Amino acid sequence: MHLYRLQSSAAGSPDHQPHRCSCRPEAADNEPDRLSSSRMKPRTQTHLLSLRSRAHTSASVTLDGDSGSHVWTLPAPGSVSMESVDMKHELKWSPLQAACSTAVLYSVQFQGEFELMVLSGRWVDAPECQLIPHTHCDLTFDLGSDSDYNLHVRAQCGSQRSPWTDLSPPFNRRDTVLMAPEMTVTAVGDALHVTFAKLPLTAVVRVTVWKRGDELQATVYPMPAEQEVLLVPALQEGAEYCVRARTVLDTRIHSGSTDTECVSIAARPDAAWKRTTTVTVTVVVMAALLFAVFWSAVHCRPHGCQTYFHKEPLPRSLEPDWDIQIPMSPEEAELCEPIHVSSAPSH
């Protein structure tokens, strides 16, 4: 600190000449001698608010777009956390622990890969979470990619504002927790109708269906989240089928399986007599055919049978009296001359 003193210089008589002020800083070494505790007035001390937050608090002391003369006068919100279940993302924080004559309002901003790379690091206001009175914010539709998102929140009381409190570490929606889906299975005729409630966005449900006692022959049906009902048709009447499902997200994240639900495919009222009638007719027809063949074989006369069963002669190529001659060369003919062997007479 520099202290200034007034000096007078006289151009004429000291009583009649005006005083001229010459302001010169004294040396800093002489300040302790001049600033006596008995002659100084007590200074007013500035009291700063203590900012406590479990997350990292922004170091800037100016508001976005405001001049540097604005100083934070509220403590920052604390305990900022993200709760993400079934691709529903909700940011939460603890209420402001400071006296406020009006309602405390909160605002939330986010910054993703697009904002960092394309918008030069700009923070974007969450549209549904600006000056809200509650301590939670649904960001499901704002965090629309699989990149890391920076998030922060601040409080406002009247014209007073707090610093931003950042979520640490950044959030990625791939860290969501998938719960087992709520499944309902009903039998309609010879088919199964499988429905689900509140499926996560962009998720796929894998439904496993098998006949009771034959789980090794189970069939897996993929069902997108936007599909309302899964139809499993053409099942065996009177049999019991079991169903189990789980949610899959991006082939790397999956939920636990649902409880196994088994339902029976009821037989239709007319199925019993139709089955009996079909079997009876089949047996009667086969017996009649066998009887006709047997009777014909026993009572058929030779001339009558020849009339119905005409015997066709064999083709010449199949006759047994073939006359096959193999041409031979003269040399081979000489080698094949017949040789007559006679035995000597015995004495």
Side-chain angles (χ1 to χ4, degrees):
M1 177 185 298
H2 297 286
L3 299 179
Y4 297 87
R5 65 180 181 179
L6 300 178
Q7 292 183 347
S8 60
S9 59
S13 173
D15 299 331
H16 301 282
Q17 295 295 329
H19 290 80
R20 183 172 57 186
C21 177
S22 175
C23 298
R24 295 185 303 171
E26 293 288 337
D29 296 337
N30 297 331
E31 288 182 3
D33 297 334
R34 291 187 173 92
L35 299 179
S36 173
S37 59
S38 61
R39 301 161 66 183
M40 288 183 59
K41 294 183 180 180
R43 295 180 177 272
T44 303
Q45 299 180 353
T46 304
H47 299 278
L48 300 178
L49 295 175
S50 175
L51 304 180
R52 298 182 180 89
S53 174
R54 191 174 65 183
H56 174 69
T57 305
S58 175
S60 175
V61 296
T62 61
L63 301 176
D64 295 341
D66 295 340
S67 63
S69 60
H70 292 81
V71 180
W72 306 122
T73 55
L74 289 177
S79 303
V80 179
S81 62
M82 174 64 78
E83 182 179 297
S84 179
V85 178
D86 286 341
M87 293 296 287
K88 182 179 180 181
H89 320 305
E90 189 171 42
L91 187 70
K92 295 184 177 182
W93 57 91
S94 59
L96 189 66
Q97 300 297 325
C100 180
S101 58
T102 61
V104 179
L105 303 178
Y106 302 93
S107 298
V108 176
Q109 291 182 337
F110 63 89
Q111 181 189 66
E113 182 179 9
F114 178 80
E115 289 75 20
L116 285 172
M117 304 299 296
V118 180
L119 301 182
S120 303
R122 175 185 173 188
W123 287 85
V124 179
D125 293 337
E128 304 297 327
C129 301
Q130 297 299 307
L131 300 178
I132 56 177
H134 38 266
T135 58
H136 56 86
C137 169
D138 188 353
L139 297 171
T140 301
F141 296 101
D142 297 308
L143 312 183
S145 69
D146 291 338
S147 62
D148 292 341
Y149 280 89
N150 298 313
L151 301 163
H152 60 196
V153 58
R154 74 175 174 189
Q156 181 172 340
C157 177
S159 60
Q160 300 177 345
R161 296 180 180 178
S162 74
W164 292 100
T165 301
D166 295 338
L167 174 69
S168 181
F171 171 73
N172 194 305
R173 69 176 187 176
R174 290 178 295 184
D175 298 330
T176 190
V177 177
L178 294 180
M179 306 298 292
E182 299 179 14
M183 181 178 65
T184 303
V185 182
T186 55
V188 180
D190 63 345
L192 291 179
H193 286 192
V194 185
T195 58
F196 298 91
K198 300 179 181 179
L199 289 177
L201 299 175
T202 71
V204 175
V205 182
R206 291 184 178 177
V207 183
T208 305
V209 182
W210 70 94
K211 188 178 179 180
R212 179 181 281 277
D214 197 9
E215 188 171 357
L216 295 178
Q217 301 297 325
T219 304
V220 179
Y221 299 89
M223 174 181 170
E226 59 270 14
Q227 184 174 336
E228 296 182 356
V229 181
L230 174 66
L231 177 65
V232 184
L235 300 178
Q236 180 182 344
E237 295 180 0
E240 188 175 11
Y241 288 86
C242 298
V243 183
R244 186 173 56 232
R246 68 175 182 175
T247 305
V248 179
L249 184 66
D250 195 20
T251 68
R252 293 172 294 178
I253 308 172
H254 56 82
S255 69
S257 297
T258 61
D259 295 333
T260 301
E261 294 189 26
C262 298
V263 296
S264 298
I265 303 299
R268 290 176 295 181
D270 57 348
W273 71 265
K274 282 186 176 180
R275 185 181 298 109
T276 303
T277 303
T278 303
V279 172
T280 303
V281 171
T282 302
V283 170
V284 171
V285 170
M286 293 300 297
L289 289 175
L290 290 175
F291 177 78
V293 171
F294 180 76
W295 186 89
S296 299
V298 172
H299 296 83
C300 182
R301 296 178 180 181
H303 297 288
C305 290
Q306 290 180 1
T307 304
Y308 295 103
F309 305 100
H310 181 66
K311 183 179 179 180
E312 294 289 340
L314 290 174
R316 184 175 180 79
S317 59
L318 298 179
E319 292 181 355
D321 55 343
W322 295 341
D323 185 11
I324 300 175
Q325 296 182 357
I326 302 175
M328 301 177 64
S329 63
E331 292 80 4
E332 293 177 345
E334 292 177 358
L335 294 177
C336 296
E337 291 181 356
I339 299 175
H340 300 280
V341 179
S342 59
S343 59
S346 60
H347 298 282

